[in-house]
Amino acid sequence: MSVNKKELIRTAAIEVIATKGFYRSTTDSIAAAAGVSVGTIYNYFKNKDEILEYIFQTELAHRAAIFAELKDLTVPSLEKLQLFLEAHFTEIKANPLVGQILVRERQVGHDALDGVRAFVEGIPQKIASLLQLSIEAGEIKPCNPLIISAAIFGAVEAVVRIAVFTVDPEERNRLLDQAPVELVNFISSGLAK
Amino acid sequence: MSVNKKELIRTAAIEVIATKGFYRSTTDSIAAAAGVSVGTIYNYFKNKDEILEYIFQTELAHRAAIFAELKDLTVPSLEKLQLFLEAHFTEIKANPLVGQILVRERQVGHDALDGVRAFVEGIPQKIASLLQLSIEAGEIKPCNPLIISAAIFGAVEAVVRIAVFTVDPEERNRLLDQAPVELVNFISSGLAK
Amino acid sequence: MSVNKKELIRTAAIEVIATKGFYRSTTDSIAAAAGVSVGTIYNYFKNKDEILEYIFQTELAHRAAIFAELKDLTVPSLEKLQLFLEAHFTEIKANPLVGQILVRERQVGHDALDGVRAFVEGIPQKIASLLQLSIEAGEIKPCNPLIISAAIFGAVEAVVRIAVFTVDPEERNRLLDQAPVELVNFISSGLAK
Amino acid sequence: MSVNKKELIRTAAIEVIATKGFYRSTTDSIAAAAGVSVGTIYNYFKNKDEILEYIFQTELAHRAAIFAELKDLTVPSLEKLQLFLEAHFTEIKANPLVGQILVRERQVGHDALDGVRAFVEGIPQKIASLLQLSIEAGEIKPCNPLIISAAIFGAVEAVVRIAVFTVDPEERNRLLDQAPVELVNFISSGLAK
DNA sequence: TATGAATGAGGGTTCATTCAT
DNA sequence: GATGAATGAACCCTCATTCAT
C-alpha cells in the first residue's frame, strides 16, 4: 500500500510539474492532485526537491534497464544506440508529461539534485561507452566520445522538447515516430566511416 | 553615470543568475551585485522576469547580427552554418556565465517569457532556414529541417553546457576550442550527401 | 482551539485598524495582536482587504438581524426606525472600536470592497424602506426616501463619529445615551419650534 | 508664477485623489497630472499629506468666507444656515471632484492631518454657533448644538456623497439641486406631518 | 526653481515544512 | 500512517522622499 502511495504522489507530481513547472508547483497542489494531504507527502519524501529527484531517478532506472538488456545483445554497438534511442522515444510517447519534465527541469536548483544530475550525466555516459566500443570495434570513425555523446543526447532532447510541447496529440505522435528515424539517420551518417 | 545603468544591472544579473539560478537569485542580491538599490532595478525593468528576458534578448540580438553578416557572404549555406557555430562558441568563450544562463534558464516560467522563447525558437529557425537553402542548393541530402535544426541546436547547447560548467578555465577553453571542430565535423558528415 | 480563529483575527483586526487606520495597519501587526502568525491570517482571509470586508459584513449582518426582528412588530414604521437607531447605538456603545471603523474606513479602496459597500448602501436602503412604509401609512409627510434616508444615516454616523472618538469612556457613554434621543427627536420633528 | 504652480498641483491632485483615493494616489501620478516633476511638488509641499491638507484648507477657507459674508446679514440665524447649505451645495456642484474628496478622505491618517481636522470640526462648529444663536433668539426649540450640528453636517455630507458619486452629470445636478431643498426642509421641520 | 534618477525601508503575500491530533 | 492548521522566513515590489545637476 505504501509503495502504491509513493507512486501515486509521483504520478500526480508529474502532472502538476509538467503543467506549471517545478518552482511554480506547490506541495499543496501536488497533494491535491494526488488526493492526499500535504503531510502525507512528507511521509514519503524528505522535501519537495526529492519528489523531482524521484521522478528523474525512476526514468533513469528505466533507461538503465534498457541498457542492461541491450548489453548482452550480439549486435553492433551502433545498432544498440539506435535501439536505445527508439526505446527512449517510445517511453516519451507513452508519457509525454514526463518528457516535458525531463527536458525542462533538468537544471533545477544548481544541479544540486543528485537524481537529476545522475540522469543528465548518466545517459550521455552510457552513450559514450557505446561510442567507445563502437570506435574500438572500428564501426565508426574516431571522435571525442565525451563531446559527441553529449551532442547526441542534446540533439535527442531538443527533438523531444519539440515533440513534447506539441499540444495536438496526433501531430505529437507523428513527430515522435518520425524523429527517431531522422535522428538516427542524422547521427549514423555523421558517424559513418 | 558614465556606465549605462541597464547594462550594469544586466551584467550583475548574469553573474548572480549564472551562479545561483534564476529562481534562487533575489532582486536584492542582483541589486547588491550591481552596486545599486533594489528600487533602481525597477526603474529599468518592470519586474524580475524582465531581467532574464533582457539577457536572452541581448544574446539573441548578437546572434541575429551574426546571421545578418553571414547572409550576404557568397559561401555555401552549410559553411555559413559552420561560421555561425564558431561565432556562437566564441561568444560563449568570451562570456561563459551567459552560456550557463542560456542553457539553464531556458524554460523558466512556463515558456511565458517572450525574450526567452524568442531565443529558444529563434536560433533553430535561423538554422532551419540555412538548412533549407542548403538542401535546395543540393549541398546536403534532404531532411526535415525542423527536426534537424532542433537537433543541431540541441547538440550545440549540450556541448556548451559541458564546457560552460567546467570550472577549470583552461580545460573549459580547450573544450570550447575543440567542440566546434568536433561538432561541425559530426554535423557535416551527418549531412553529407 | 476553542476560540474560532477567524473571529480571533477579526477581533484583533478591529483593535488594530480602529487605532491606526486600515492603511496604516500591517498584516504583521494584526497577526501579532491576534497572537497568530501572518500565515494564519491567510488561511482565513484571501488578503488584507477581506479582513475589513469581514468586519463590515459582520456588522451588516447584526443590523440586518435587528431589522428582521423589527419587521414583524406591530408598531408604526417610524417607531421601528427609532428602535433600530437605539439598537444601533447600543451596539456602538458595546463596541466603540467597531464604531470607529464603521465611520472611518467606509470608503477604503475605491468603494471596491463589496462588504463595505454592502454596509454603506444597505443600511440606508433599509431606512428608506421604512420611510416609504411610513409615508404610505400617512405617518409622516412625503419626502424623497433616497435622500432623506441617506441624510438620516449620515446624521447618525456623524454623531457616532463624535461619540466614538471621545476618549473619556464616561463622556462617550453619556453621548451615546443622549444622542439617539436627540437624534430621533431631531429627525422626527426637526428644528421646528 | 509660484502661486499658480501650487494651484496647478492642487488641481491635479484633486483629480487624481478623487479618482483613486488618497492612499492609492502616488506623488508620481499627481506630478504627471500636473505636468511637473515629483521634485517640484516638494518645493511647494512638505510631503504628500500636506497636499491633502491644502485641499481641505482651501475648501474650509471658502466656507469660512461664506460664513463671514453671512455674519453681517440681518436675517434670522436659521435662514443663514439655509443660505450656507445652499452655497455649500453650489460649490460641490461646481466641482464634484472636490466633493468626492471631502467625503472620502476625511479620516485619512489618524485624523492627524490638521487641515482635514480643521475642516471636519470647523464646519460643524460654525453650524453649532448658528444654532446657538438661533436658540437664543427663540427661533428654534432648544437642543444640544454639538450633537445636532454634527447631525446636520453628517446629513449634508451623506447627501453630498450620493450626489457626488453619481456618474451621470445630469442626474447628479438634479440631485444637487433637489437635495438642499429636501434637506433644509427636513432639518427645519423633520419628518413631522 | 525644476528635474527625475536613485534610494531603501516597509509591506503584502507565498509556501515549504512541522507536529499535535 | 494520515491529516491539515499553523508557522514565519523569505521574497518581490512600491513609492515617498532626497539631492546632485
Side-chain angles (χ1 to χ4, degrees), chain A residues 19-21 23-24 49 103-104 106-111 120 141-144 146-148 150-156 158-159 161-162 165 175 178-179 182-183 185-192, chain B residues 19-21 23-24 49 103-104 106-111 120 141-144 146-148 150-156 158-159 161-162 165 175 178-179 182-183 185-192:
Chain A
T19 309
K20 320 176 72 133
Y23 273 106
R24 289 181 145 87
D49 283 2
V103 297
R104 269 178 52 175
R106 205 182 278 177
Q107 300 298 341
V108 159
H110 291 273
D111 304 75
V120 174
K141 64 183 168 191
C143 66
N144 181 332
L146 178 71
I147 291 180
I148 298 305
I152 290 173
F153 190 51
V156 169
V159 174
R161 188 191 308 268
I162 287 186
F165 286 104
L175 267 171
Q178 193 186 348
E182 284 269 354
L183 254 182
N185 189 23
F186 169 58
I187 292 167
S188 304
S189 309
L191 296 170
Chain B
T19 309
K20 319 175 71 136
Y23 274 107
R24 288 182 144 87
D49 282 3
V103 297
R104 270 178 51 176
R106 209 181 276 178
Q107 299 298 340
V108 159
H110 292 275
D111 304 74
V120 173
K141 64 183 166 190
C143 65
N144 182 333
L146 178 71
I147 291 181
I148 298 304
I152 290 173
F153 190 51
V156 168
V159 174
R161 187 192 308 266
I162 288 185
F165 286 104
L175 267 170
Q178 196 186 347
E182 284 269 354
L183 255 181
N185 188 24
F186 168 57
I187 293 167
S188 302
S189 309
L191 296 169

Side-chain angles (χ1 to χ4, degrees), chain C residues 20-158:
Chain C
K20 318 175 73 135
F22 181 70
Y23 275 106
R24 288 183 143 87
S25 301
T26 65
T27 48
D28 274 3
S29 66
I30 292 171
V36 300
S37 66
V38 226
T40 300
I41 288 180
Y42 288 86
N43 287 337
Y44 295 93
F45 298 93
K46 217 171 64 211
N47 51 42
K48 191 187 161 193
D49 282 3
E50 278 210 345
I51 302 175
L52 189 64
E53 290 227 359
Y54 187 57
I55 293 172
F56 273 86
Q57 275 165 4
T58 303
E59 295 307 312
L60 180 59
H62 286 193
R63 304 304 182 275
I66 295 171
F67 265 107
E69 280 181 36
L70 292 174
K71 184 181 276 177
D72 304 326
L73 250 54
T74 52
V75 297
S77 293
L78 194 59
E79 200 178 322
K80 288 184 182 175
L81 179 57
Q82 293 184 26
L83 290 170
F84 172 70
L85 292 187
E86 274 162 23
H88 182 54
F89 276 92
T90 301
E91 292 235 19
I92 299 295
K93 200 167 150 187
N95 204 341
L97 293 180
V98 174
Q100 291 189 28
I101 294 175
L102 292 184
V103 297
R104 272 178 50 176
E105 310 297 345
R106 208 180 276 178
Q107 299 298 339
V108 160
H110 293 272
D111 303 74
L113 292 153
D114 288 339
V116 177
R117 192 211 299 274
F119 182 88
V120 173
E121 296 178 356
I123 305 287
Q125 266 166 21
K126 291 186 187 297
I127 293 178
S129 69
L130 285 182
L131 288 181
Q132 188 62 40
L133 290 174
S134 216
I135 293 170
E136 286 165 9
E139 295 165 23
I140 61 173
K141 64 184 167 194
C143 65
N144 181 331
L146 178 72
I147 292 180
I148 298 305
S149 66
I152 290 174
F153 190 52
V156 169
E157 293 306 83

Side-chain angles (χ1 to χ4, degrees), chain C residues 19-21 23-24 49 78 81 103-104 106-111 120 131 138-141 143-144 146-148 150-155 158-159 161-162 165 175 178-179 182-183 185-193, chain D residues 19-21 23-24 49 78 81 103-104 106-111 120 131 138-141 143-144 146-148 150-155 158-159 161-162 165 175 178-179 182-183 185-193:
Chain C
T19 308
K20 318 175 73 135
Y23 275 106
R24 288 183 143 87
D49 282 3
L78 194 59
L81 179 57
V103 297
R104 272 178 50 176
R106 208 180 276 178
Q107 299 298 339
V108 160
H110 293 272
D111 303 74
V120 173
L131 288 181
E139 295 165 23
I140 61 173
K141 64 184 167 194
C143 65
N144 181 331
L146 178 72
I147 292 180
I148 298 305
I152 290 174
F153 190 52
V159 175
R161 187 192 308 268
I162 288 185
F165 285 105
L175 268 170
Q178 196 186 347
E182 285 269 353
L183 255 181
N185 189 25
F186 169 58
I187 292 167
S188 305
S189 61
L191 296 169
K193 208 163 184 182
Chain D
T19 308
K20 320 175 73 132
Y23 273 105
R24 289 181 144 87
D49 283 3
L78 194 59
L81 179 57
V103 298
R104 270 178 52 174
R106 205 181 279 177
Q107 301 298 340
V108 159
H110 289 275
D111 303 74
V120 173
L131 287 181
E139 296 166 24
I140 61 174
K141 63 184 169 194
C143 66
N144 182 332
L146 178 71
I147 291 181
I148 297 306
I152 289 174
F153 190 52
V159 174
R161 188 191 307 268
I162 288 185
F165 285 104
L175 267 170
Q178 194 186 349
E182 285 269 354
L183 254 182
N185 188 24
F186 169 58
I187 291 168
S188 304
S189 60
L191 296 169
K193 208 164 184 183

Side-chain angles (χ1 to χ4, degrees), chain A:
Chain A
M1 202 45 182
S2 66
V3 170
N4 282 341
K5 199 154 270 182
K6 192 168 184 178
E7 266 307 288
L8 183 69
I9 294 168
R10 185 179 73 88
T11 309
I14 286 169
E15 265 175 68
V16 176
I17 295 173
T19 309
K20 320 176 72 133
F22 181 69
Y23 273 106
R24 289 181 145 87
S25 301
T26 64
T27 48
D28 274 0
S29 65
I30 293 171
V36 300
S37 69
V38 231
T40 302
I41 290 180
Y42 285 84
N43 288 332
Y44 296 93
F45 299 93
K46 216 173 66 209
N47 51 42
K48 190 187 163 193
D49 283 2
E50 277 209 346
I51 303 175
L52 189 63
E53 290 228 359
Y54 186 58
I55 293 172
F56 273 86
Q57 275 165 4
T58 304
E59 295 306 312
L60 180 58
H62 286 191
R63 304 303 181 277
I66 295 171
F67 265 108
E69 279 180 38
L70 292 174
K71 186 181 276 176
D72 303 327
L73 249 56
T74 52
V75 296
S77 295
L78 194 59
E79 202 179 319
K80 288 184 182 174
L81 179 57
Q82 293 185 25
L83 291 170
F84 172 71
L85 292 188
E86 274 162 23
H88 182 54
F89 275 92
T90 301
E91 294 235 15
I92 299 295
K93 200 168 150 187
N95 203 341
L97 293 181
V98 174
Q100 291 189 29
I101 294 175
L102 292 185
V103 297
R104 269 178 52 175
E105 310 297 345
R106 205 182 278 177
Q107 300 298 341
V108 159
H110 291 273
D111 304 75
L113 292 151
D114 289 339
V116 177
R117 193 212 300 274
F119 182 87
V120 174
E121 296 179 354
I123 306 287
Q125 267 166 22
K126 291 186 188 298
I127 293 177
S129 70
L130 285 182
L131 287 181
Q132 188 61 37
L133 289 173
S134 215
I135 293 171
E136 285 165 10
E139 295 165 25
I140 61 172
K141 64 183 168 191
C143 66
N144 181 332
L146 178 71
I147 291 180
I148 298 305
S149 66
I152 290 173
F153 190 51
V156 169
E157 293 306 83
V159 174
V160 166
R161 188 191 308 268
I162 287 186
V164 121
F165 286 104
T166 301
V167 277
D168 178 39
E170 303 238 349
E171 199 186 337
R172 183 174 63 232
N173 281 339
R174 209 177 328 119
L175 267 171
L176 284 169
D177 287 335
Q178 193 186 348
V181 180
E182 284 269 354
L183 254 182
V184 168
N185 189 23
F186 169 58
I187 292 167
S188 304
S189 309
L191 296 170
K193 213 164 183 179

